[in-house]
Amino acid sequence: MTTTPTSTVPAPVPAKQPAARPVTVRRKWTEHGLVFIAPFFLTYALFLLWPLVSGIGMSLRSDNITGEGGEFVGFDNYAEALQDPNVWSSLWNTIWFTILSTVPLVLTGLVMALLSHHLRFVQWLWRLSWFAPFLLPSGVIGLLFLWVIYPSDFGFADQLLAWFGLHPGIGWLTDERYAMLSIVLATVWWTVGFNFLLYLAALQSIPQHLYEAAELDGAGAWHRLRHITIPMLRRTTGVVLVLQILASLKIFDQVYIMTGGGPDDSTRPILQYVYQSGFTGYRIGYASAVSYLFFALIVIVSLVQLRLSQRKGESA
Amino acid sequence: MNDERYEPRLTRRKLIAATGAAASAVALGAAGCAAPSFGAEGRTRLRYWHLFGGGDGANMTALVDAFAKEHTGIELEATQLQWGTPYYTKLGMAGAGGRAPEVAVLHLARLAGFGPGRLLDPFDLDRLSELGVGADQFPEEIFKRGAVDGKQYAIPLDTHPMVLYYNTDVCEKAGLLGDGGKLQPISSAREFTDALRAAKKVTGVPAVTAETTGPDCITPWRLFATFYSQMGGTVLSADGRRLTLDDAKAMEVLDFMAGLTTDGLMVRRVDYPGSIGVFNAGKTAFHLNGEWEVSTFTAAKLPFSMTRVPALFGRPTAQADCHSFVLPHQEGRSEAATEAAHAFVAWMLQHSVDWAKGGHVPAYLPTLEDPAYLELEPQSEYRSVIDDVALDQPAWFAGSASQMWIQLGAVFSGVLTGSRTPSNALREAKKRLRKLLDTPDPLGSAGGGAA
């Protein structure tokens, strides 16, 4: 900001108004910087803003997937969506997944960060191995995990358990009691690396002298963790929580690959229902309406979290 | 192997499939923009889309190659797309834009929902009969399903019913085989469960397996539709507009299905590839599925044969759908391309013996009497089922990979796995059907009918 010619040139000669004129023109040109952001902005407008707006338009129409026919139906699609039990059940699946996955994802990330922060040998190995799965695309994770837990009874996981004399006979993905848990398990393994990384960075930025002072006062390891580390991580925890909840609400890929939403729709997230309404059912208008209801929910969650984290920031 | 459903095996390869689909979509997009018909050197360009993978895919490719070799004046471009929803989405959108291929495959029971007259163009029956293909060469019921408002939009290639696979070794030990090593006739639900018990006594494992759960699980719906149709029941009225599900009949079927797993006669929790694997392992006496897995078991050298699903509840019907040829709608279809498309369809029907290797029963009656077909074992064992196939009533949400199959498949899956009681499942099934009936046909009703 401060190194642009516009801000440095006029400073030494503030009195010479006429000479400053061409500078003023240049200042406007660069200050708005429209030219510089144009490539990004155009892409953004074309692929994010426009679809957002046209999606709202579609949700008010009875369009089919071919984009022809259809008529303006006002809020009929929304009214139908609110009465559709599939919307509610799949929305609940999404929320249930978010609850189930957020807690272990945050806690495991923290524990792993603490471990690798304190382990003094081959640190790079812990960091690499805990972060590596995050670099893989969801498709790869889904397939890998399928091969770990599938087929039941003679998949990799079951063989490993059999080693310890355990034969749980769990239908990892075929039993509605376990299918969602299996997906959570895969997701935790996949994405915990990101939370781990955020926590690790935060841990490294806690000033060492706090610990030294506490140690002089005779604080043990538990008290140092309880009264220094965790309070100092509060802001990071806020960020991790926000990001995690938003990421978990967007669940789709793993479920689509691993269970297809089954058994008996017990793992079908709302986004998959949107997909099914639009691409299997050809009702793009209705699918848009459902997705905007979900969008509203995400906006509300984000606003609540923003408010909460702001308050936290003020009091800290 | 299996073209008839989303295969979990395919699902697992979604990444690769998606890449392939993207690539072919790009290729198709490029091809689709060009005006139809004339290819290089004045040859007629004929684009053909189908959804056959596995063994069917190999058979289809061989047929396509043979056709291309015989017809040097036609430049044939065959494109295989991913089975199920992706295929139908692409075909529908191509038709809506008037940039569709000249000829394509469609499941006959999906015709009603596929905008005949708008997304599909009718066949010229005179032209077909000049090529030696006439309406009288098909089972009447099946051929009639290809017609809407007096125009023929689909020409059936085959029918693919639910059948009963049986392991000949196990059944022999259980004393279930009769003369010539064939399964003794079974003519009631009681006789069927007795046979299952006898087989279980020999092997100690559940005697029958079928897909009961998994992604886009459809077999439970097929089982229900098979047995329910045997009682003479219909799910929808003949015009596909009203719910005609008979509670008493449906409950009897669902109770029977629930009993199979509760009594330990049927493997309770197994997904599609799992059910194939279980039967392939050689200890399970029976497998209920469509006939398209015949090449899988043949390749595995399993001692097995196939027969029609026995009439457990009266009539010997079996749930089925048919592959058929259609002419997706094109703006300004050229005379030469239309001629080529008709020639292609006629040639395919007349060579459908090679198609029947994959298990499907040819719909073209001359093929059914062809000695080369009769020699196919066990593919010709169940051919008589062609007169007793139960297709979905024509509704936009019916047919292979449709909303109805996927939604009801999930509900009836619960009956087999034990997570739903039969009465709960029936209630839920009716609720879902009513919702589908209340939803206007998204492709058909939309404006400006071109027919």
Side-chain angles (χ1 to χ4, degrees), chain A residues 209-230:
Chain A
H209 63 81
L210 293 178
Y211 292 106
E212 286 163 8
E215 237 169 304
L216 284 178
D217 289 340
W222 167 248
H223 281 102
R224 289 195 302 260
L225 176 72
R226 173 80 183 71
H227 295 290
I228 300 177
T229 313
I230 290 181

Side-chain angles (χ1 to χ4, degrees), chain A residues 276-298:
Chain A
Q276 284 176 346
S277 306
F279 292 96
T280 318
Y282 301 138
R283 300 181 65 206
I284 283 293
Y286 182 65
S288 306
V290 176
S291 70
Y292 274 89
L293 287 179
F294 182 55
F295 179 63
L297 178 82
I298 288 199

Side-chain angles (χ1 to χ4, degrees), chain A residues 64 68 143 150 174 176 264, chain B residues 12 118 271 419-420 442:
Chain A
N64 67 38
E68 60 173 46
L143 298 185
Y150 184 90
T174 52
E176 46 263 55
D264 199 356
Chain B
R12 214 166 304 142
R118 221 167 49 78
D271 61 6
S419 69
R420 280 185 195 275

